[in-house]
Amino acid sequence: MNVVSGGAAVTLVIVGTLVIGAYGLRVSRTTSDFYVASRTVPPIWNAAAICGEYLSAASFLGIAGLVLAFGVDMLWYPAGFTAGYVLQLALVAAPLRRSGAYTLPDFAEWRLESQAVRRLASVMVIGIGWLYMTPQLKGAGLTLATVTGLPVWAGAGLTAAVVAVNVIAGGMRSITFVQAFQFWFKLTAVAVPAILMLLLFRGATAPGLTGTQPPVFHDRTSVTVGGTVSATVAGPVTVAVTGVVDGHGYDRAVLTLGGGVHRISAGTRMTFPAGAEVPHAVSIPATTGARWAAPLQEGDHPLYVAYGLIVALFLGVMGLPHVAVRFYTSPNARAARRTSAAVIGLLGLFYLFPPVYGALGRTFTPELLLTGRTDTVALVLPGRLVGGTAGTLLTALVTGGAFAAFLAASSGLTVAMAGVISQDVLLRGGVRSFRLAAGLAAAVAFAGSLAIGDISLATVVQMAFATTASSLCPLLVLGIWWRRLTAPGAAAGLICGGGAALTAVLFAVSGRPRTGWGHALLAYPAAWTVPLGFATTIGVSLLTRRSVPAGVGRMMARLHTPEVLLRPAETR
């Protein structure tokens, strides 16, 4: 794909985003418009907007990259991302809307009558928001770097700027229009190339997917390593090298690489003969087709990893700040339930397609296993498999869809964080404070995107889900369904569950430890931090039962009573 077509695709998405956002600016006037779109968003429109912001870099590029690298076991991600809304529908959507809150900290204070719990919830919302948004901006930079050659920071900065402009201009009402449009565009961008590639692929053999043979280069292939990488070579392979390998410089030299790990410097060009086994970046297992196609193969303790993913993804949805705030925009609880049900269907449709890119990439773009840039498979594959002008246009479509994913997810996170920052950090509220908070949220996330290294987009998002499931999920579920929840119990749960998950995430991102139970427990912490969060919340609440809010009966009645039975003042 050339720079012109890639730049044109991104430019069209940016222009469309700003034009639709400008329409939202015309109808955004009040504080309620900026925070919750005045609670007037109908279910279908709201469901499309939720899918627009929820289908992030991890969904569009990350899942395809994980399937390419680790195999079918990574289908836990799309299953979990979608199934989480079943629990959201059953436990949270309608009661959360009936609470009448603007933000999750609003709900915490209203339910527990505690400023301390509100402040702790605010810290968690802002921290999770930045943890989730940072890889979105990093992914945007990676996308632009792949298709245009621009520096990674340029794409991240451009995304942050567009998001900040849209959110500052019109708040929730403005981005609702934008995100609904972006969902349908993303669905088109991921589905059309996948369907066409499957039609072309029909009848072809796929030695990288089945049997006992590892992925190989089917033709003589030249690979340029974009960044310094350590790669595992299974056996002796003779390659032509221009660059630096294992600290030695070569200029169009023929080199035989022995089995083991070799360090390849950035900019090195290597030409592999047809039939050569593909070296793998050390972070990617050198699996055969049989192992790639078998479940429970990830990591040293695959069964634990699977359960860690399931718990994080299924329960993490309920507390995601940018998802929860969307239900506040529904006119009533019935609309919130219908919105959640529609989201399940739309997400199920979308997630049919990213695994297709990962599976086809195993055969047609195996060099990504060497460079470690598996997250780019959806951008590289259409041009490789289709080729010509059609391939260029399909790649442009995927590029535009990927960039729309970054914009939509970042917009939702910015709105969610801006609402909390304006009320609980700047302590002012109102439109002016909201706009200042939105700019601050986007700027900090951009700085974070410059600091993180090369880590899988879906992996970072899974960590955000684990943190949310361990902290805000217990607060919401117990706050809605358990009368005996107390402020000390909620605070202890937020600190213990959320703190443990955040600590585990920091160790995992640092890369230590890399193997064994230590890595599994830290990289996939939800299996133990979620029970810790719930147990701590319940245990401390039982020890402080005298701290149950005096008005808990009234609160529970409001959360669970249909609107038709409430007075108008209670349905705000």
PDB file of all heavy atoms in Angstrom, residues 360-398:
ATOM      1  N   LEU A 360      -5.562 -16.460   7.953  1.00  0.00           N
ATOM      2  CA  LEU A 360      -4.960 -16.325   6.628  1.00  0.00           C
ATOM      3  C   LEU A 360      -3.530 -15.801   6.712  1.00  0.00           C
ATOM      4  O   LEU A 360      -2.666 -16.161   5.907  1.00  0.00           O
ATOM      5  CB  LEU A 360      -5.812 -15.395   5.758  1.00  0.00           C
ATOM      6  CG  LEU A 360      -7.205 -15.896   5.379  1.00  0.00           C
ATOM      7  CD1 LEU A 360      -7.934 -14.854   4.535  1.00  0.00           C
ATOM      8  CD2 LEU A 360      -7.126 -17.219   4.629  1.00  0.00           C
ATOM      9  N   GLY A 361      -3.267 -14.944   7.693  1.00  0.00           N
ATOM     10  CA  GLY A 361      -1.917 -14.402   7.844  1.00  0.00           C
ATOM     11  C   GLY A 361      -0.893 -15.466   8.158  1.00  0.00           C
ATOM     12  O   GLY A 361       0.291 -15.335   7.818  1.00  0.00           O
ATOM     13  N   ARG A 362      -1.319 -16.548   8.794  1.00  0.00           N
ATOM     14  CA  ARG A 362      -0.402 -17.645   9.125  1.00  0.00           C
ATOM     15  C   ARG A 362       0.234 -18.230   7.863  1.00  0.00           C
ATOM     16  O   ARG A 362       1.386 -18.660   7.869  1.00  0.00           O
ATOM     17  CB  ARG A 362      -1.183 -18.732   9.855  1.00  0.00           C
ATOM     18  CG  ARG A 362      -0.330 -19.830  10.437  1.00  0.00           C
ATOM     19  CD  ARG A 362       0.261 -19.425  11.755  1.00  0.00           C
ATOM     20  NE  ARG A 362       0.980 -20.525  12.369  1.00  0.00           N
ATOM     21  CZ  ARG A 362       1.621 -20.441  13.523  1.00  0.00           C
ATOM     22  NH1 ARG A 362       1.640 -19.302  14.170  1.00  0.00           N
ATOM     23  NH2 ARG A 362       2.252 -21.472  14.006  1.00  0.00           N
ATOM     24  N   THR A 363      -0.518 -18.197   6.772  1.00  0.00           N
ATOM     25  CA  THR A 363      -0.025 -18.747   5.508  1.00  0.00           C
ATOM     26  C   THR A 363       0.590 -17.685   4.608  1.00  0.00           C
ATOM     27  O   THR A 363       1.627 -17.912   3.987  1.00  0.00           O
ATOM     28  CB  THR A 363      -1.178 -19.457   4.761  1.00  0.00           C
ATOM     29  OG1 THR A 363      -1.625 -20.559   5.549  1.00  0.00           O
ATOM     30  CG2 THR A 363      -0.731 -19.948   3.403  1.00  0.00           C
ATOM     31  N   PHE A 364      -0.029 -16.512   4.545  1.00  0.00           N
ATOM     32  CA  PHE A 364       0.353 -15.538   3.525  1.00  0.00           C
ATOM     33  C   PHE A 364       1.235 -14.398   4.023  1.00  0.00           C
ATOM     34  O   PHE A 364       1.855 -13.710   3.212  1.00  0.00           O
ATOM     35  CB  PHE A 364      -0.903 -14.962   2.871  1.00  0.00           C
ATOM     36  CG  PHE A 364      -1.700 -15.977   2.113  1.00  0.00           C
ATOM     37  CD1 PHE A 364      -2.847 -16.539   2.653  1.00  0.00           C
ATOM     38  CD2 PHE A 364      -1.283 -16.409   0.871  1.00  0.00           C
ATOM     39  CE1 PHE A 364      -3.576 -17.489   1.960  1.00  0.00           C
ATOM     40  CE2 PHE A 364      -1.998 -17.366   0.164  1.00  0.00           C
ATOM     41  CZ  PHE A 364      -3.143 -17.912   0.712  1.00  0.00           C
ATOM     42  N   THR A 365       1.319 -14.157   5.334  1.00  0.00           N
ATOM     43  CA  THR A 365       2.231 -13.126   5.861  1.00  0.00           C
ATOM     44  C   THR A 365       3.034 -13.681   7.032  1.00  0.00           C
ATOM     45  O   THR A 365       3.074 -13.085   8.114  1.00  0.00           O
ATOM     46  CB  THR A 365       1.450 -11.869   6.303  1.00  0.00           C
ATOM     47  OG1 THR A 365       0.490 -12.249   7.315  1.00  0.00           O
ATOM     48  CG2 THR A 365       0.748 -11.209   5.142  1.00  0.00           C
ATOM     49  N   PRO A 366       3.716 -14.816   6.846  1.00  0.00           N
ATOM     50  CA  PRO A 366       4.436 -15.434   7.967  1.00  0.00           C
ATOM     51  C   PRO A 366       5.598 -14.603   8.475  1.00  0.00           C
ATOM     52  O   PRO A 366       6.047 -14.794   9.607  1.00  0.00           O
ATOM     53  CB  PRO A 366       4.905 -16.770   7.386  1.00  0.00           C
ATOM     54  CG  PRO A 366       5.041 -16.505   5.918  1.00  0.00           C
ATOM     55  CD  PRO A 366       3.915 -15.565   5.588  1.00  0.00           C
ATOM     56  N   GLU A 367       6.111 -13.670   7.655  1.00  0.00           N
ATOM     57  CA  GLU A 367       7.257 -12.865   8.102  1.00  0.00           C
ATOM     58  C   GLU A 367       6.940 -12.010   9.320  1.00  0.00           C
ATOM     59  O   GLU A 367       7.834 -11.569  10.045  1.00  0.00           O
ATOM     60  CB  GLU A 367       7.762 -11.982   6.958  1.00  0.00           C
ATOM     61  CG  GLU A 367       6.866 -10.801   6.599  1.00  0.00           C
ATOM     62  CD  GLU A 367       5.726 -11.177   5.669  1.00  0.00           C
ATOM     63  OE1 GLU A 367       5.593 -12.371   5.346  1.00  0.00           O
ATOM     64  OE2 GLU A 367       4.989 -10.270   5.264  1.00  0.00           O
ATOM     65  N   LEU A 368       5.644 -11.760   9.571  1.00  0.00           N
ATOM     66  CA  LEU A 368       5.264 -10.982  10.751  1.00  0.00           C
ATOM     67  C   LEU A 368       5.603 -11.723  12.038  1.00  0.00           C
ATOM     68  O   LEU A 368       5.756 -11.097  13.095  1.00  0.00           O
ATOM     69  CB  LEU A 368       3.765 -10.653  10.713  1.00  0.00           C
ATOM     70  CG  LEU A 368       3.308  -9.812   9.520  1.00  0.00           C
ATOM     71  CD1 LEU A 368       1.798  -9.590   9.571  1.00  0.00           C
ATOM     72  CD2 LEU A 368       4.030  -8.476   9.505  1.00  0.00           C
ATOM     73  N   LEU A 369       5.715 -13.044  11.971  1.00  0.00           N
ATOM     74  CA  LEU A 369       6.130 -13.812  13.133  1.00  0.00           C
ATOM     75  C   LEU A 369       7.593 -13.539  13.474  1.00  0.00           C
ATOM     76  O   LEU A 369       8.008 -13.647  14.632  1.00  0.00           O
ATOM     77  CB  LEU A 369       5.938 -15.313  12.882  1.00  0.00           C
ATOM     78  CG  LEU A 369       4.502 -15.760  12.588  1.00  0.00           C
ATOM     79  CD1 LEU A 369       4.494 -17.212  12.138  1.00  0.00           C
ATOM     80  CD2 LEU A 369       3.626 -15.565  13.798  1.00  0.00           C
ATOM     81  N   LEU A 370       8.377 -13.186  12.471  1.00  0.00           N
ATOM     82  CA  LEU A 370       9.782 -12.839  12.687  1.00  0.00           C
ATOM     83  C   LEU A 370       9.920 -11.429  13.246  1.00  0.00           C
ATOM     84  O   LEU A 370      10.640 -11.204  14.219  1.00  0.00           O
ATOM     85  CB  LEU A 370      10.564 -12.974  11.379  1.00  0.00           C
ATOM     86  CG  LEU A 370      11.958 -12.327  11.337  1.00  0.00           C
ATOM     87  CD1 LEU A 370      12.872 -12.970  12.368  1.00  0.00           C
ATOM     88  CD2 LEU A 370      12.564 -12.447   9.939  1.00  0.00           C
ATOM     89  N   THR A 371       9.241 -10.484  12.644  1.00  0.00           N
ATOM     90  CA  THR A 371       9.385  -9.085  13.076  1.00  0.00           C
ATOM     91  C   THR A 371       8.649  -8.801  14.378  1.00  0.00           C
ATOM     92  O   THR A 371       8.925  -7.812  15.050  1.00  0.00           O
ATOM     93  CB  THR A 371       8.840  -8.133  11.997  1.00  0.00           C
ATOM     94  OG1 THR A 371       7.438  -8.366  11.813  1.00  0.00           O
ATOM     95  CG2 THR A 371       9.563  -8.359  10.672  1.00  0.00           C
ATOM     96  N   GLY A 372       7.694  -9.671  14.750  1.00  0.00           N
ATOM     97  CA  GLY A 372       6.920  -9.443  15.961  1.00  0.00           C
ATOM     98  C   GLY A 372       5.771  -8.471  15.783  1.00  0.00           C
ATOM     99  O   GLY A 372       5.008  -8.234  16.719  1.00  0.00           O
ATOM    100  N   ARG A 373       5.583  -7.935  14.578  1.00  0.00           N
ATOM    101  CA  ARG A 373       4.526  -6.944  14.345  1.00  0.00           C
ATOM    102  C   ARG A 373       3.243  -7.637  13.865  1.00  0.00           C
ATOM    103  O   ARG A 373       2.656  -7.294  12.837  1.00  0.00           O
ATOM    104  CB  ARG A 373       5.002  -5.900  13.338  1.00  0.00           C
ATOM    105  CG  ARG A 373       6.255  -5.148  13.786  1.00  0.00           C
ATOM    106  CD  ARG A 373       6.629  -4.042  12.833  1.00  0.00           C
ATOM    107  NE  ARG A 373       5.688  -2.941  12.894  1.00  0.00           N
ATOM    108  CZ  ARG A 373       5.798  -1.822  12.161  1.00  0.00           C
ATOM    109  NH1 ARG A 373       6.793  -1.698  11.305  1.00  0.00           N
ATOM    110  NH2 ARG A 373       4.916  -0.876  12.270  1.00  0.00           N
ATOM    111  N   THR A 374       2.820  -8.620  14.632  1.00  0.00           N
ATOM    112  CA  THR A 374       1.636  -9.386  14.248  1.00  0.00           C
ATOM    113  C   THR A 374       0.366  -8.539  14.275  1.00  0.00           C
ATOM    114  O   THR A 374      -0.608  -8.880  13.594  1.00  0.00           O
ATOM    115  CB  THR A 374       1.467 -10.595  15.179  1.00  0.00           C
ATOM    116  OG1 THR A 374       1.492 -10.152  16.545  1.00  0.00           O
ATOM    117  CG2 THR A 374       2.597 -11.595  14.973  1.00  0.00           C
ATOM    118  N   ASP A 375       0.353  -7.446  15.043  1.00  0.00           N
ATOM    119  CA  ASP A 375      -0.824  -6.591  15.088  1.00  0.00           C
ATOM    120  C   ASP A 375      -1.107  -5.907  13.749  1.00  0.00           C
ATOM    121  O   ASP A 375      -2.186  -5.343  13.561  1.00  0.00           O
ATOM    122  CB  ASP A 375      -0.664  -5.507  16.164  1.00  0.00           C
ATOM    123  CG  ASP A 375      -0.942  -6.049  17.563  1.00  0.00           C
ATOM    124  OD1 ASP A 375      -1.661  -7.052  17.673  1.00  0.00           O
ATOM    125  OD2 ASP A 375      -0.424  -5.479  18.540  1.00  0.00           O
ATOM    126  N   THR A 376      -0.156  -5.939  12.830  1.00  0.00           N
ATOM    127  CA  THR A 376      -0.357  -5.297  11.534  1.00  0.00           C
ATOM    128  C   THR A 376      -0.886  -6.251  10.467  1.00  0.00           C
ATOM    129  O   THR A 376      -1.027  -5.861   9.314  1.00  0.00           O
ATOM    130  CB  THR A 376       0.961  -4.678  11.023  1.00  0.00           C
ATOM    131  OG1 THR A 376       1.907  -5.734  10.745  1.00  0.00           O
ATOM    132  CG2 THR A 376       1.559  -3.724  12.039  1.00  0.00           C
ATOM    133  N   VAL A 377      -1.216  -7.495  10.833  1.00  0.00           N
ATOM    134  CA  VAL A 377      -1.603  -8.479   9.817  1.00  0.00           C
ATOM    135  C   VAL A 377      -2.830  -8.025   9.037  1.00  0.00           C
ATOM    136  O   VAL A 377      -2.924  -8.233   7.815  1.00  0.00           O
ATOM    137  CB  VAL A 377      -1.845  -9.861  10.463  1.00  0.00           C
ATOM    138  CG1 VAL A 377      -2.975  -9.833  11.468  1.00  0.00           C
ATOM    139  CG2 VAL A 377      -2.106 -10.908   9.389  1.00  0.00           C
ATOM    140  N   ALA A 378      -3.806  -7.391   9.694  1.00  0.00           N
ATOM    141  CA  ALA A 378      -5.007  -6.952   8.985  1.00  0.00           C
ATOM    142  C   ALA A 378      -4.694  -5.853   7.980  1.00  0.00           C
ATOM    143  O   ALA A 378      -5.421  -5.682   6.995  1.00  0.00           O
ATOM    144  CB  ALA A 378      -6.056  -6.458   9.982  1.00  0.00           C
ATOM    145  N   LEU A 379      -3.617  -5.104   8.207  1.00  0.00           N
ATOM    146  CA  LEU A 379      -3.233  -4.038   7.281  1.00  0.00           C
ATOM    147  C   LEU A 379      -2.410  -4.569   6.112  1.00  0.00           C
ATOM    148  O   LEU A 379      -2.471  -4.031   5.009  1.00  0.00           O
ATOM    149  CB  LEU A 379      -2.416  -2.965   8.034  1.00  0.00           C
ATOM    150  CG  LEU A 379      -3.090  -2.320   9.246  1.00  0.00           C
ATOM    151  CD1 LEU A 379      -2.102  -1.441   9.984  1.00  0.00           C
ATOM    152  CD2 LEU A 379      -4.307  -1.524   8.810  1.00  0.00           C
ATOM    153  N   VAL A 380      -1.639  -5.606   6.353  1.00  0.00           N
ATOM    154  CA  VAL A 380      -0.717  -6.123   5.338  1.00  0.00           C
ATOM    155  C   VAL A 380      -1.389  -7.153   4.437  1.00  0.00           C
ATOM    156  O   VAL A 380      -1.115  -7.221   3.232  1.00  0.00           O
ATOM    157  CB  VAL A 380       0.525  -6.737   6.022  1.00  0.00           C
ATOM    158  CG1 VAL A 380       1.453  -7.383   4.994  1.00  0.00           C
ATOM    159  CG2 VAL A 380       1.261  -5.680   6.825  1.00  0.00           C
ATOM    160  N   LEU A 381      -2.286  -7.958   4.990  1.00  0.00           N
ATOM    161  CA  LEU A 381      -2.807  -9.128   4.281  1.00  0.00           C
ATOM    162  C   LEU A 381      -3.584  -8.814   3.002  1.00  0.00           C
ATOM    163  O   LEU A 381      -3.369  -9.485   1.986  1.00  0.00           O
ATOM    164  CB  LEU A 381      -3.676  -9.941   5.245  1.00  0.00           C
ATOM    165  CG  LEU A 381      -4.120 -11.316   4.764  1.00  0.00           C
ATOM    166  CD1 LEU A 381      -2.916 -12.209   4.505  1.00  0.00           C
ATOM    167  CD2 LEU A 381      -5.041 -11.957   5.798  1.00  0.00           C
ATOM    168  N   PRO A 382      -4.501  -7.824   2.972  1.00  0.00           N
ATOM    169  CA  PRO A 382      -5.251  -7.605   1.721  1.00  0.00           C
ATOM    170  C   PRO A 382      -4.362  -7.323   0.519  1.00  0.00           C
ATOM    171  O   PRO A 382      -4.583  -7.855  -0.571  1.00  0.00           O
ATOM    172  CB  PRO A 382      -6.148  -6.405   2.063  1.00  0.00           C
ATOM    173  CG  PRO A 382      -6.313  -6.470   3.537  1.00  0.00           C
ATOM    174  CD  PRO A 382      -4.992  -6.952   4.056  1.00  0.00           C
ATOM    175  N   GLY A 383      -3.342  -6.480   0.715  1.00  0.00           N
ATOM    176  CA  GLY A 383      -2.443  -6.189  -0.395  1.00  0.00           C
ATOM    177  C   GLY A 383      -1.644  -7.394  -0.826  1.00  0.00           C
ATOM    178  O   GLY A 383      -1.352  -7.574  -2.013  1.00  0.00           O
ATOM    179  N   ARG A 384      -1.288  -8.265   0.130  1.00  0.00           N
ATOM    180  CA  ARG A 384      -0.503  -9.448  -0.182  1.00  0.00           C
ATOM    181  C   ARG A 384      -1.340 -10.499  -0.909  1.00  0.00           C
ATOM    182  O   ARG A 384      -0.885 -11.137  -1.860  1.00  0.00           O
ATOM    183  CB  ARG A 384       0.040 -10.034   1.136  1.00  0.00           C
ATOM    184  CG  ARG A 384       0.944 -11.244   0.974  1.00  0.00           C
ATOM    185  CD  ARG A 384       2.289 -10.855   0.369  1.00  0.00           C
ATOM    186  NE  ARG A 384       2.914  -9.799   1.140  1.00  0.00           N
ATOM    187  CZ  ARG A 384       3.615  -9.993   2.267  1.00  0.00           C
ATOM    188  NH1 ARG A 384       3.783 -11.217   2.731  1.00  0.00           N
ATOM    189  NH2 ARG A 384       4.163  -8.979   2.889  1.00  0.00           N
ATOM    190  N   LEU A 385      -2.570 -10.689  -0.475  1.00  0.00           N
ATOM    191  CA  LEU A 385      -3.391 -11.777  -1.015  1.00  0.00           C
ATOM    192  C   LEU A 385      -4.129 -11.367  -2.283  1.00  0.00           C
ATOM    193  O   LEU A 385      -4.275 -12.166  -3.207  1.00  0.00           O
ATOM    194  CB  LEU A 385      -4.399 -12.231   0.045  1.00  0.00           C
ATOM    195  CG  LEU A 385      -5.208 -13.496  -0.260  1.00  0.00           C
ATOM    196  CD1 LEU A 385      -4.283 -14.658  -0.598  1.00  0.00           C
ATOM    197  CD2 LEU A 385      -6.076 -13.860   0.932  1.00  0.00           C
ATOM    198  N   VAL A 386      -4.600 -10.117  -2.342  1.00  0.00           N
ATOM    199  CA  VAL A 386      -5.367  -9.655  -3.512  1.00  0.00           C
ATOM    200  C   VAL A 386      -4.439  -9.007  -4.532  1.00  0.00           C
ATOM    201  O   VAL A 386      -4.450  -9.339  -5.717  1.00  0.00           O
ATOM    202  CB  VAL A 386      -6.484  -8.684  -3.082  1.00  0.00           C
ATOM    203  CG1 VAL A 386      -7.246  -8.172  -4.302  1.00  0.00           C
ATOM    204  CG2 VAL A 386      -7.423  -9.358  -2.093  1.00  0.00           C
ATOM    205  N   GLY A 387      -3.636  -8.054  -4.067  1.00  0.00           N
ATOM    206  CA  GLY A 387      -2.677  -7.405  -4.950  1.00  0.00           C
ATOM    207  C   GLY A 387      -3.318  -6.408  -5.902  1.00  0.00           C
ATOM    208  O   GLY A 387      -4.540  -6.315  -6.025  1.00  0.00           O
ATOM    209  N   GLY A 388      -2.462  -5.646  -6.587  1.00  0.00           N
ATOM    210  CA  GLY A 388      -2.925  -4.686  -7.584  1.00  0.00           C
ATOM    211  C   GLY A 388      -3.732  -3.550  -6.983  1.00  0.00           C
ATOM    212  O   GLY A 388      -3.689  -3.277  -5.778  1.00  0.00           O
ATOM    213  N   THR A 389      -4.513  -2.899  -7.827  1.00  0.00           N
ATOM    214  CA  THR A 389      -5.334  -1.767  -7.392  1.00  0.00           C
ATOM    215  C   THR A 389      -6.395  -2.200  -6.387  1.00  0.00           C
ATOM    216  O   THR A 389      -6.665  -1.506  -5.408  1.00  0.00           O
ATOM    217  CB  THR A 389      -6.014  -1.112  -8.606  1.00  0.00           C
ATOM    218  OG1 THR A 389      -5.016  -0.684  -9.536  1.00  0.00           O
ATOM    219  CG2 THR A 389      -6.839   0.089  -8.172  1.00  0.00           C
ATOM    220  N   ALA A 390      -6.983  -3.380  -6.630  1.00  0.00           N
ATOM    221  CA  ALA A 390      -8.002  -3.872  -5.703  1.00  0.00           C
ATOM    222  C   ALA A 390      -7.415  -4.088  -4.316  1.00  0.00           C
ATOM    223  O   ALA A 390      -8.033  -3.747  -3.299  1.00  0.00           O
ATOM    224  CB  ALA A 390      -8.606  -5.172  -6.228  1.00  0.00           C
ATOM    225  N   GLY A 391      -6.212  -4.649  -4.253  1.00  0.00           N
ATOM    226  CA  GLY A 391      -5.561  -4.850  -2.968  1.00  0.00           C
ATOM    227  C   GLY A 391      -5.260  -3.546  -2.266  1.00  0.00           C
ATOM    228  O   GLY A 391      -5.410  -3.428  -1.042  1.00  0.00           O
ATOM    229  N   THR A 392      -4.837  -2.542  -3.040  1.00  0.00           N
ATOM    230  CA  THR A 392      -4.561  -1.226  -2.473  1.00  0.00           C
ATOM    231  C   THR A 392      -5.817  -0.600  -1.897  1.00  0.00           C
ATOM    232  O   THR A 392      -5.809  -0.026  -0.794  1.00  0.00           O
ATOM    233  CB  THR A 392      -3.962  -0.302  -3.545  1.00  0.00           C
ATOM    234  OG1 THR A 392      -2.722  -0.856  -4.008  1.00  0.00           O
ATOM    235  CG2 THR A 392      -3.713   1.093  -2.988  1.00  0.00           C
ATOM    236  N   LEU A 393      -6.932  -0.723  -2.629  1.00  0.00           N
ATOM    237  CA  LEU A 393      -8.189  -0.146  -2.144  1.00  0.00           C
ATOM    238  C   LEU A 393      -8.692  -0.865  -0.896  1.00  0.00           C
ATOM    239  O   LEU A 393      -9.200  -0.237   0.037  1.00  0.00           O
ATOM    240  CB  LEU A 393      -9.242  -0.209  -3.255  1.00  0.00           C
ATOM    241  CG  LEU A 393      -8.978   0.682  -4.476  1.00  0.00           C
ATOM    242  CD1 LEU A 393     -10.045   0.444  -5.544  1.00  0.00           C
ATOM    243  CD2 LEU A 393      -8.946   2.162  -4.075  1.00  0.00           C
ATOM    244  N   LEU A 394      -8.558  -2.194  -0.883  1.00  0.00           N
ATOM    245  CA  LEU A 394      -8.984  -2.943   0.300  1.00  0.00           C
ATOM    246  C   LEU A 394      -8.130  -2.585   1.515  1.00  0.00           C
ATOM    247  O   LEU A 394      -8.640  -2.456   2.635  1.00  0.00           O
ATOM    248  CB  LEU A 394      -8.908  -4.439   0.033  1.00  0.00           C
ATOM    249  CG  LEU A 394      -9.945  -5.018  -0.934  1.00  0.00           C
ATOM    250  CD1 LEU A 394      -9.690  -6.498  -1.164  1.00  0.00           C
ATOM    251  CD2 LEU A 394     -11.355  -4.801  -0.400  1.00  0.00           C
ATOM    252  N   THR A 395      -6.827  -2.435   1.298  1.00  0.00           N
ATOM    253  CA  THR A 395      -5.953  -2.046   2.401  1.00  0.00           C
ATOM    254  C   THR A 395      -6.296  -0.658   2.905  1.00  0.00           C
ATOM    255  O   THR A 395      -6.280  -0.388   4.113  1.00  0.00           O
ATOM    256  CB  THR A 395      -4.483  -2.100   1.970  1.00  0.00           C
ATOM    257  OG1 THR A 395      -4.194  -3.395   1.450  1.00  0.00           O
ATOM    258  CG2 THR A 395      -3.563  -1.809   3.143  1.00  0.00           C
ATOM    259  N   ALA A 396      -6.643   0.237   1.982  1.00  0.00           N
ATOM    260  CA  ALA A 396      -7.065   1.579   2.388  1.00  0.00           C
ATOM    261  C   ALA A 396      -8.336   1.515   3.222  1.00  0.00           C
ATOM    262  O   ALA A 396      -8.485   2.249   4.214  1.00  0.00           O
ATOM    263  CB  ALA A 396      -7.276   2.449   1.150  1.00  0.00           C
ATOM    264  N   LEU A 397      -9.259   0.630   2.836  1.00  0.00           N
ATOM    265  CA  LEU A 397     -10.496   0.480   3.594  1.00  0.00           C
ATOM    266  C   LEU A 397     -10.212  -0.028   5.009  1.00  0.00           C
ATOM    267  O   LEU A 397     -10.755   0.490   5.992  1.00  0.00           O
ATOM    268  CB  LEU A 397     -11.432  -0.483   2.861  1.00  0.00           C
ATOM    269  CG  LEU A 397     -12.790  -0.752   3.520  1.00  0.00           C
ATOM    270  CD1 LEU A 397     -13.606   0.528   3.620  1.00  0.00           C
ATOM    271  CD2 LEU A 397     -13.559  -1.816   2.730  1.00  0.00           C
ATOM    272  N   VAL A 398      -9.351  -1.048   5.110  1.00  0.00           N
ATOM    273  CA  VAL A 398      -9.000  -1.572   6.429  1.00  0.00           C
ATOM    274  C   VAL A 398      -8.288  -0.515   7.264  1.00  0.00           C
ATOM    275  O   VAL A 398      -8.536  -0.371   8.466  1.00  0.00           O
ATOM    276  CB  VAL A 398      -8.117  -2.832   6.293  1.00  0.00           C
ATOM    277  CG1 VAL A 398      -7.645  -3.309   7.662  1.00  0.00           C
ATOM    278  CG2 VAL A 398      -8.881  -3.937   5.585  1.00  0.00           C
TER     279      VAL A 398
END
